[in-house]
Amino acid sequence: MKENEIRSFDDLLADVIDAGICSKCGGCVSVCSANMIGALKLDKNGFPTYTDKELCLACGLCHMICPHTHTVREEVKSRFDWKPPVGHYTNVISAKTTDPDVVEVATDGGVVTSLLIHMLEAGHIDGAVVSTSEDGYTRQAVVATSREQILQAAGSHFGELPHLEEVGEKYANYVSVVKFSCKDNTKKLKRLAVVGTPCQITSIRNMQALAIVPSDIITFTVGLFCMQCFEMSNLMDKEFIRRRHINPDDIATMNIKEDFILTLKSGITVHIPMKEIEEVARPACLKCDYFANDFADISVGGLGSPEKHTTVMIRTLRGRMMIADALAKKSIKMRESRSADEQRVYKHGMISLIEEYAARKEARARIYRDGSR
Ligand SMILES: Cc1cc2nc3c(=O)[nH]c(=O)nc-3n(C[C@H](O)[C@H](O)[C@H](O)COP(=O)(O)OP(=O)(O)OC[C@H]3O[C@@H](n4cnc5c(N)ncnc54)[C@H](O)[C@@H]3O)c2cc1C
Ligand code: SF4
Ligand code: SF4
Ligand code: SF4
């Protein structure tokens, strides 16, 4: 294929899906349906597939926005003033929520939930694409438009979520009210925040670089650090948990920070090294080298922060403004420290860890992509 030749979904199939690196972000389906072409859908396993090949215009948009084709990578890097090793940022802080309701349900410090609630109530956004769980193991992407809905979505789930598909559906429904019971509510959704893994946020940034709908309504991105995702069925079925003498029913919460942490209902925490959870990771995640969510407005994780705190990497002007506003309104507060020097030590510790994990992930991706694993 020549350098500037437009790729179609057939090329995406060959380059990404058949190559085993599709992270099921849903971006390609979202773009195709938001542009009213509708040639794609997600199959029952969450992979994109043709609805009807005849509908494909070979416009190449799906291939261009895919986070794993890197077609517009240089453009996105330049927009975000990207620098190695973990992209541009202006500050890294450790913070936590001040809201007792958020403390109850948050994964780490509850900064994400409190920031989203703050942004919604201050009128900075009309809603936030987050994920909720009804059964504790599977989650659904939803557009939360109230404090209650954002609260309900708090906590992390390390499964797979086609967030962008959800955004695309909402956007398409905004123009076609068929599936919507509340037309007026949809009309207000012009400024959305999205919480997503690096592949999802990169997909959004690729769309924005190309000025493709529905990315125009996404005005704020919260990027999760991401070592890997796994399918919950693998985690529970593969003897992985039982080998550690844990009854799956006893698990209260899961989290990833420096390692994989299971908290049992008895209050006991079990730490499993990152290397050991590779066996239940999605194969595509092991070939992925995105860790620090380099193109988000803020990137967040537990890495480098103490219990009940969130590490926040502030990247864009908008990210800086929203965090400053949330701090000023006391929705969140910084980790306490005895002096400015101590604060600096915390900051450098967090940066070192983020860089270390980003490097570890890149090295792992090289090994798995080379086929030596
Ligand atoms: C798949 C995944 C992998 C992660 N890997 C790491 C890691 O390797 N290292 C690390 O330090 N941190 C990792 N994190 C981030 C960490 O678990 C916390 O989400 C983060 O520290 C924010 O904590 P919080 O208390 O501020 O968030 P909360 O206030 O609890 O809010 C979390 C938000 O994330 C949303 N969310 C939950 N699951 C998903 C999902 N699958 N996709 C998109 N949004 C989701 C929730 O709806 C909620 O809005 C990961 C998170 C996820 C979801
Ligand atoms: S119409 Fe365009 S976006 Fe849709 S599948 Fe074909 S090439 Fe991809
Ligand atoms: S855009 Fe997302 S869902 Fe589509 S092929 Fe790429 S990674 Fe897979
Ligand atoms: S490791 Fe994270 S960023 Fe990479 S493909 Fe998996 S979910 Fe996406």
Side-chain angles (χ1 to χ4, degrees):
M1 182 169 287
K2 293 190 200 91
E3 180 66 7
N4 292 324
E5 199 172 319
I6 289 187
R7 271 83 160 160
S8 73
F9 184 67
D10 282 342
D11 300 301
L12 194 59
L13 273 171
D15 298 345
V16 175
I17 301 150
D18 294 347
I21 54 173
C22 168
S23 48
K24 306 185 191 177
C25 77
C28 52
V29 180
S30 180
V31 157
C32 195
S33 53
N35 286 288
M36 294 302 188
I37 306 167
L40 300 180
K41 63 178 180 187
L42 294 178
D43 70 15
K44 63 178 175 18
N45 297 317
F47 288 107
T49 182
Y50 280 118
T51 47
D52 179 354
K53 195 171 174 175
E54 292 301 308
L55 292 175
C56 175
L57 307 174
C59 68
L61 292 180
C62 54
H63 194 279
M64 281 191 264
I65 65 85
C66 176
H68 304 295
T69 57
H70 296 183
T71 316
V72 286
R73 192 160 180 78
E74 290 313 312
E75 165 67 18
V76 173
K77 275 183 170 179
S78 116
R79 281 175 160 229
F80 287 85
D81 198 15
W82 188 88
K83 297 178 194 64
V86 288
H88 173 78
Y89 59 88
T90 55
N91 203 356
V92 179
I93 63 167
S94 181
K96 66 177 179 182
T97 180
T98 56
D99 183 336
D101 292 343
V102 178
V103 174
E104 282 288 302
V105 288
T107 321
D108 289 312
V111 169
V112 175
T113 299
S114 276
L115 181 68
L116 294 178
I117 291 173
H118 168 76
M119 287 171 68
L120 185 70
E121 293 181 344
H124 297 305
I125 52 170
D126 305 316
V129 180
V130 289
S131 77
T132 55
S133 176
E134 279 176 11
D135 57 12
Y137 294 125
T138 55
R139 288 178 78 121
Q140 297 293 322
V142 293
V143 178
T145 54
S146 68
R147 170 187 162 88
E148 289 67 35
Q149 285 174 319
I150 295 173
L151 263 178
Q152 206 185 349
S156 280
H157 169 82
F158 302 103
E160 55 200 34
L161 268 184
H163 260 179
L164 304 180
E165 157 70 1
E166 179 74 1
V167 175
E169 217 179 82
K170 292 290 168 197
Y171 188 90
N173 280 326
Y174 171 61
V175 286
S176 145
V177 292
V178 179
K179 288 186 193 163
F180 256 77
S181 51
C182 185
K183 191 174 160 188
D184 290 335
N185 189 38
T186 4
K187 276 186 180 163
K188 287 187 208 142
L189 298 179
K190 290 184 180 148
R191 295 165 309 158
L192 279 184
V194 174
V195 183
T197 52
C199 55
Q200 293 168 338
I201 301 298
T202 304
S203 197
I204 290 171
R205 294 313 195 197
N206 290 350
M207 290 183 209
Q208 290 175 336
L210 295 163
I212 293 171
V213 291
S215 60
D216 52 335
I217 57 168
I218 298 166
T219 54
F220 196 79
T221 54
V222 178
L224 304 161
F225 295 159
C226 185
M227 208 56 195
Q228 65 215 335
C229 269
F230 36 75
E231 281 153 27
M232 298 308 280
S233 51
N234 278 354
L235 187 65
M236 294 303 163
D237 289 349
K238 271 196 173 174
E239 287 295 306
F240 176 79
I241 297 289
R242 288 182 211 283
R243 218 185 299 139
R244 290 167 177 83
H245 309 290
I246 297 167
N247 177 349
D249 292 339
D250 293 339
I251 300 170
T253 62
M254 300 180 203
N255 197 4
I256 296 193
K257 289 175 67 158
E258 286 77 10
D259 49 19
F260 181 53
I261 308 160
L262 294 173
T263 305
L264 307 184
K265 288 174 187 157
S266 61
I268 293 172
T269 53
V270 182
H271 291 258
I272 302 175
M274 283 293 186
K275 186 83 197 132
E276 291 180 27
I277 60 168
E278 283 179 17
E279 70 175 277
V280 291
R282 295 188 307 163
C285 291
L286 296 172
K287 295 178 180 172
C288 160
D289 59 7
Y290 294 127
F291 173 74
N293 232 318
D294 301 8
F295 308 121
D297 287 298
I298 59 166
S299 305
V300 295
L303 191 63
S305 275
E307 272 291 284
K308 301 282 172 201
H309 284 74
T310 309
T311 299
V312 185
M313 211 169 190
I314 302 165
R315 295 185 177 279
T316 63
L317 177 61
R318 195 157 166 74
R320 201 156 76 208
M321 284 163 57
M322 293 303 140
I323 290 290
D325 200 33
L327 283 168
K329 303 282 164 34
K330 300 194 176 3
S331 301
I332 58 171
K333 65 177 182 186
M334 300 264 285
R335 176 184 182 179
E336 280 166 25
S337 57
R338 282 164 299 188
S339 64
D341 270 352
E342 193 172 65
Q343 200 65 259
R344 262 193 297 279
V345 171
Y346 291 157
K347 177 174 160 176
H348 288 294
M350 289 185 283
I351 294 171
S352 302
L353 272 174
I354 295 165
E355 292 182 356
E356 181 194 322
Y357 276 70
R360 278 164 66 166
K361 194 165 173 189
E362 272 181 38
R364 185 180 76 185
R366 273 196 300 275
I367 293 171
Y368 278 90
R369 282 188 187 221
D370 286 352
S372 42
R373 288 293 299 272

